């Protein structure tokens, strides 16, 4: 096993998280929500599966936001001029975040409703 490779990969990942936190307001907002809601999800879920779904969807949203931010940064690096394909890529990244947030909200509502109404 190449520990050097693992160490460098971990450092690159930490650098990416720091860059997202420093430069992406949406990531900071979603991270705050995840930090606040993770303990709630661990309490709300009645089983390991429910807890995994509640916390996992929060993490999934952060992952999708990181990918969306990476796409936007790469496109912005190319240049400021408007291009149809650049706009499409940015819109698709935004749509992916929207779907992740929709999934998160749906899971939380369904599990919460089952807990309090079921």
């Amino acid at each position: 096993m190449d520990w050097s490779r693992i160490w460098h990969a971990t450092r690159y990942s930490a650098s990416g998280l720091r860059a997202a936190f420093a430069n992406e307001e949406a990531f900071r907002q979603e991270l705050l929500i995840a930090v606040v809601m993770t303990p709630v999800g661990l309490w709300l879920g009645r089983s390991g599966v429910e807890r995994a779904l509640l916390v996992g969807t929060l993490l999934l949203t952060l992952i999708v936001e990181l990918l969306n931010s990476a796409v936007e940064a790469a496109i912005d690096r190319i240049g400021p001029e408007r291009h149809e394909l650049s706009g499409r890529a940015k819109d698709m990244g935004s749509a992916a975040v929207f779907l992740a947030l929709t999934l998160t909200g749906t899971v939380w509502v369904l599990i919460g409703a089952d807990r309090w109404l079921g």
Side-chain angles (χ1 to χ4, degrees):
M1 178 176 280
D2 184 4
W3 291 104
S4 173
R5 183 185 171 289
I6 294 170
W7 170 251
H8 289 319
T10 302
R11 290 187 61 210
Y12 295 140
S13 296
S15 178
L17 288 169
R18 280 191 303 274
F21 188 82
N23 298 297
E24 300 296 332
E25 183 176 355
F27 181 78
R28 289 191 300 272
Q29 292 168 347
E30 291 158 355
L31 180 62
L32 175 62
I33 291 168
V35 167
V36 170
M37 296 306 290
T38 292
V40 176
L42 294 173
W43 169 80
L44 180 64
R46 292 183 176 170
S47 69
V49 171
E50 286 186 353
R51 290 181 189 109
L53 285 168
L54 292 166
V55 175
T57 55
L58 295 170
L59 292 174
L60 177 65
T61 299
L62 292 173
I63 292 165
V64 174
E65 184 62 50
L66 286 168
L67 294 171
N68 179 48
S69 296
V71 167
E72 287 186 357
I75 289 171
D76 290 346
R77 162 66 174 86
I78 293 169
E81 63 277 351
R82 179 88 174 122
H83 190 280
E84 178 185 347
L85 293 177
S86 296
R88 189 184 313 165
K90 286 185 170 192
D91 290 348
M92 288 176 177
S94 178
V97 173
F98 174 77
L99 290 176
L101 290 168
T102 300
L103 174 64
T104 300
T106 301
V107 166
W108 278 76
V109 166
L110 291 174
I111 292 175
D114 186 57
R115 169 133 186 171
W116 283 296
L117 303 176

